[in-house]
Amino acid sequence: MPPVNTRNRPYDMRTILLASVATLLALQASADSIKVCYDKAKTQSDTNVCAGFELDVADKDLNSVYQEILRNYKDDKKFLDNIKAAQQAWLKWRDAEIKAIYPEGYDPVVYGSSIRSCWNQQVAALTRDRTQQLRKWVEGGEEGDVCSGSMPIKE
């Protein structure tokens, strides 16, 4: 009998649903809070604070998904080594990408007083994209996806 592939074991649908609903509710509350912040902003300083808040929310979401992956795969050392290496590489890429967008760095003389806000919004957008990439290891792929690799299969 071949060994059981525990990496592609279907997750209990209730677990996936509850995790998805909790994540969506948290994101919606955060998205609403971010929108309210920007709507109330009257000055560049206010906008800078909102952009910082936006980045904090994106970072917390990324870290939450990443930690869930680490918990779900705690017994798969090879996968963990690879996902950690991928995440470290992504962090380096993100930093290089933001430097490509703003080659002069975090300099208001070059980019104006909105640089703090713009910088944080750019990093937040990159972070949200990465979070979506990582979510596939939490939510799983469709049955029959022969290219799912280490991702779980939805029930």
Side-chain angles (χ1 to χ4, degrees), residues 11-18 154-155:
Y11 279 83
D12 175 49
M13 197 54 159
R14 284 179 301 181
T15 303
I16 292 171
L17 182 60
L18 287 174
K154 291 179 190 174
E155 206 171 80

Side-chain angles (χ1 to χ4, degrees), residues 1-72:
M1 175 180 283
V4 175
N5 184 349
T6 58
R7 284 196 309 226
N8 285 335
R9 179 184 59 227
Y11 279 83
D12 175 49
M13 197 54 159
R14 284 179 301 181
T15 303
I16 292 171
L17 182 60
L18 287 174
S20 297
V21 168
T23 301
L24 288 173
L25 288 174
L27 286 175
Q28 185 59 46
S30 298
D32 290 345
S33 299
I34 292 166
K35 183 181 180 334
V36 167
C37 186
Y38 280 116
D39 287 347
K40 290 184 177 184
K42 302 283 186 230
T43 66
Q44 184 60 56
S45 181
D46 293 344
T47 303
N48 293 346
V49 168
C50 295
F53 175 58
E54 181 180 357
L55 178 55
D56 286 345
V57 168
D59 262 346
K60 285 178 183 167
D61 188 36
L62 173 72
N63 288 326
S64 174
V65 170
Y66 184 68
Q67 290 304 315
E68 188 170 354
I69 291 168
L70 296 181
R71 282 190 305 276
N72 290 348

Side-chain angles (χ1 to χ4, degrees), residues 74-93:
K74 68 181 182 284
D75 297 328
D76 190 340
K77 182 180 177 343
K78 191 172 199 174
F79 171 81
L80 289 177
D81 289 346
N82 286 306
I83 197 74
K84 288 175 183 177
Q87 190 63 10
Q88 289 170 353
W90 176 80
L91 288 166
K92 287 179 185 176
W93 173 85

